[in-house]
């Protein structure tokens, strides 16, 4: 029977609970799929001593459930980080940042040993780029960055949004990203970009995808 997207997100989130390690700091991402994960965490409360979060919104949700959220500054390494994606390939490369939390998500991912991506099947693609690529930009660099993105073949559109870090987001339309890691490196070199939403150089290690019939786990 066909499931709604929300049911699939919840199923993927539930399947990720087995990755929660006892006594370790748990990395928690941002978005509607992760919100299901956070809402399910009380079922494994005995395993969780502390969490590290990638956004103000997730921090507030974790605190509302009674979990301790520690600043990433106080953490050397995170064994497991669970987060969603806007697009993901078979190689576990992703576009992220639809919720605007890409910079903190990339930082938490960088200090995590295992990145578990949870998603419904609508996010699975052969080639990244149909979902507009979010790019977080220092406000004064907006026009400069937009010109650079146009030169790379994209069509940047300013989002009506300010990030948790006080920056703007340009959503880049019209891309077909055949080599995500190379493109991520090119974007990393543009002055004024804080973070781009390509998670290819540090992709996911585990992908949990829910479709109408089942929940599948793919490991890198
Ligand atoms: C937030 C993100 C999210 O993981 C991504 O947008 C997926 O969100 P959702 O689970 O709501 O579909 O990168 O910045």
């Amino acid at each position: 029977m066909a499931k709604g997207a929300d049911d699939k997100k919840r199923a993927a989130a539930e399947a990720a609970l087995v990755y929660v390690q006892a006594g370790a700091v748990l990395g928690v991402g941002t978005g509607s799929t992760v919100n299901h994960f956070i809402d399910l965490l009380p079922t494994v409360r005995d395993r969780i001593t502390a969490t590290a979060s990638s956004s103000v919104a997730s921090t507030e949700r974790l605190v509302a459930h009674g979990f301790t959220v520690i600043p990433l500054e106080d953490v050397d390494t995170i064994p497991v980080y669970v987060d969603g994606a806007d697009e993901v390939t078979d190689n576990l490369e992703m576009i992220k940042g639809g919720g605007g939390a890409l910079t903190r998500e990339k930082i938490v991912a960088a200090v995590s040993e295992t990145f578990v991506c949870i998603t419904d099947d609508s996010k699975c693609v052969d080639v990244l780029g149909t979902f507009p690529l979010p790019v977080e930009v220092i406000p004064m660099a907006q026009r400069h960055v937009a010109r650079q993105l146009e030169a790379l073949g994209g069509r940047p559109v300013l989002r009506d949004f300010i990030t948790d870090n006080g920056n703007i987001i340009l959503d880049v339309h019209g891309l077909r990203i055949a080599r995500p890691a190379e493109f991520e490196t090119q974007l990393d070199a543009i002055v004024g970009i804080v973070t781009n939403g390509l998670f290819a150089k540090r992709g996911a290690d585990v992908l949990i995808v829910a479709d109408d019939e089942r929940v599948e786990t793919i490991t890198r």
Side-chain angles (χ1 to χ4, degrees):
M1 197 180 80
K3 280 186 185 157
D6 208 49
D7 290 336
K8 293 189 228 179
K9 288 178 180 188
R10 186 179 164 88
E14 193 164 15
L17 291 173
V18 296
Y19 288 90
V20 176
Q21 292 184 9
V25 176
L26 174 67
V28 179
T30 301
S32 56
T33 316
V34 166
N35 282 346
H36 284 298
F37 181 68
I38 294 172
D39 292 347
L40 288 161
L41 283 179
T43 64
V44 293
R45 189 181 295 280
D46 56 327
R47 276 189 258 154
I48 300 170
T49 47
T51 63
S53 157
S54 71
S55 64
V56 172
S58 289
T59 296
E60 287 173 354
R61 204 172 185 103
L62 285 160
V63 169
H65 280 296
F67 293 107
T68 300
V69 183
I70 53 175
L72 201 67
E73 298 91 302
D74 298 345
V75 180
D76 288 326
T77 183
I78 294 175
V80 173
Y81 175 47
V82 177
D83 199 357
D86 299 299
E87 282 186 347
V88 57
T89 69
D90 283 353
N91 292 329
L92 309 199
E93 302 144 324
M94 298 165 283
I95 283 182
K96 292 184 45 53
L102 60 161
T103 296
R104 296 186 188 197
E105 291 174 341
K106 223 174 217 189
I107 296 169
V108 181
V111 301
S112 297
E113 288 161 19
T114 301
F115 185 141
V116 178
C117 176
I118 52 176
T119 180
D120 66 275
D121 56 345
S122 72
K123 311 285 185 68
C124 298
V125 298
D126 292 329
V127 179
L128 299 172
T130 301
F131 189 93
L133 178 68
V135 175
E136 180 166 348
V137 177
I138 300 285
M140 70 178 284
Q142 178 185 340
R143 290 174 68 130
H144 166 71
V145 170
R147 281 192 296 272
Q148 304 300 309
L149 293 171
E150 280 162 1
L152 291 172
R155 187 166 48 82
V157 175
L158 179 65
R159 195 188 298 187
D160 184 12
F161 182 83
I162 298 294
T163 70
D164 286 348
N165 314 305
N167 296 314
I168 58 170
I169 288 193
L170 296 175
D171 290 309
V172 190
H173 295 247
L175 296 172
R176 189 178 186 280
I177 307 168
R179 295 186 184 81
E182 281 176 34
F183 197 57
E184 186 178 356
T185 298
Q186 278 183 286
L187 295 174
D188 282 344
I190 297 174
V191 171
I193 291 183
V194 178
T195 306
N196 69 78
L198 273 174
F199 285 60
K201 290 189 282 187
R202 201 285 178 252
D205 301 296
V206 178
L207 172 62
I208 299 178
V209 188
D211 64 18
D212 286 331
E213 309 294 333
R214 65 187 72 80
V215 178
E216 190 182 358
T217 300
I218 298 158
T219 305
R220 187 187 281 274

